[in-house]
Amino acid sequence: ESENKFNSIIKTAVDGIITIDTHGLMEMVNPAAQKLFGYAESELLGRNISMLMPEPDSSQHDGYMERYHKTGIPHIIGIGREVSGLRKDGSVFPFFLSISEVQLADRKVYTGFVHDITQQKVSEERLRRYA
Ligand code: HEM
């Protein structure tokens, strides 16, 4: 019952939720994240998270993760950051990324929360122009 409840929450969440392993390979992508990036689940599972971001981050993301594994110093985990996402159709959109580190019994995974801020950006730009 508690696992069902947990699964329903992830499935109906408005924000995208993506889980990756320590190599950056996607293990879970909820429906909101599939929709935001324009991919079916089967096109994402087992692939590197770097496919969902534009350059230069795309080529460097493995390196970002390696650096964290070596130094233990996070730059986004527990802090959050505004980043750019890359959709299947090639378009780029802004979102706020929060990441948490989850220690399972035998290994570690990362959960990323994808909060689309496209509309917020449009409103900000309007305010700036007409202020
Ligand atoms: C680190 C970008 C998605 C997991 C980073 C850094 C950047 C970045 C720039 C390094 C920050 C720095 O060193 O200053 C992006 C972009 C994404 C994305 C553009 C767009 C799709 C994700 C997702 C996850 C994730 C969805 C997890 C599911 C990590 C981890 C680190 C990292 C574990 C290293 C720890 C840290 O620096 O806090 N990412 N990321 N990333 N990212 Fe991503």
Side-chain angles (χ1 to χ4, degrees), residues 32 90 128:
R128 210 170 293 129

Side-chain angles (χ1 to χ4, degrees), residues 94-114:
F95 71 90
F96 190 83
L97 172 66
S98 335
I99 307 170
S100 62
E101 188 173 341
V102 184
Q103 183 64 57
L104 303 176
D106 52 338
R107 64 201 189 89
K108 196 165 71 171
V109 296
Y110 297 104
T111 303
F113 297 86
V114 179

